[in-house]
Amino acid sequence: SRTTQKETKSTDVPINATKVQGHEDKLSNFHPCKLEHDGKAFASAEAVYQYEKAIYHHDHRLAESIRNARHAGQAKRIAD
């Protein structure tokens, strides 16, 4: 199982955590998938995230470049 139980230092209350790593992990923002958000198509959850950040900052040109990214890594690089 990927879920592990850890103790927090401040309260020592057990919490559940799931390790997500790499684009092959289906829970990763970088996992390739077809998503529709606000009627627009995206190649990953990471692209949606970066797109929304650009919209928040009123950078619509950047947002469209991110939306057209072929994969999550490209969306991230465009946003940075």
Side-chain angles (χ1 to χ4, degrees):
S1 171
R2 296 179 336 169
T3 302
T4 58
Q5 199 171 59
K6 296 182 178 183
E7 300 285 327
T8 60
K9 293 180 182 178
S10 61
T11 62
D12 290 334
V13 176
I15 59 171
N16 289 326
T18 300
K19 183 178 180 179
V20 177
Q21 187 173 11
H23 71 277
E24 292 181 9
D25 190 321
K26 291 182 181 182
L27 294 178
S28 171
N29 280 359
F30 285 80
H31 183 72
C33 60
K34 294 179 181 179
L35 294 173
E36 186 175 309
H37 174 68
D38 287 342
K40 296 176 175 70
F42 294 86
S44 66
E46 183 65 21
V48 174
Y49 173 71
Q50 296 299 341
Y51 172 87
E52 282 298 323
K53 281 183 17 184
I55 293 295
Y56 176 80
H57 292 287
H58 308 288
D59 194 338
H60 298 278
R61 183 178 293 161
L62 178 62
E64 281 306 303
S65 294
I66 292 166
R67 188 178 73 78
N68 292 319
R70 292 186 313 267
H71 54 80
Q74 186 180 39
K76 175 88 169 116
R77 282 192 299 278
I78 291 167
D80 287 340

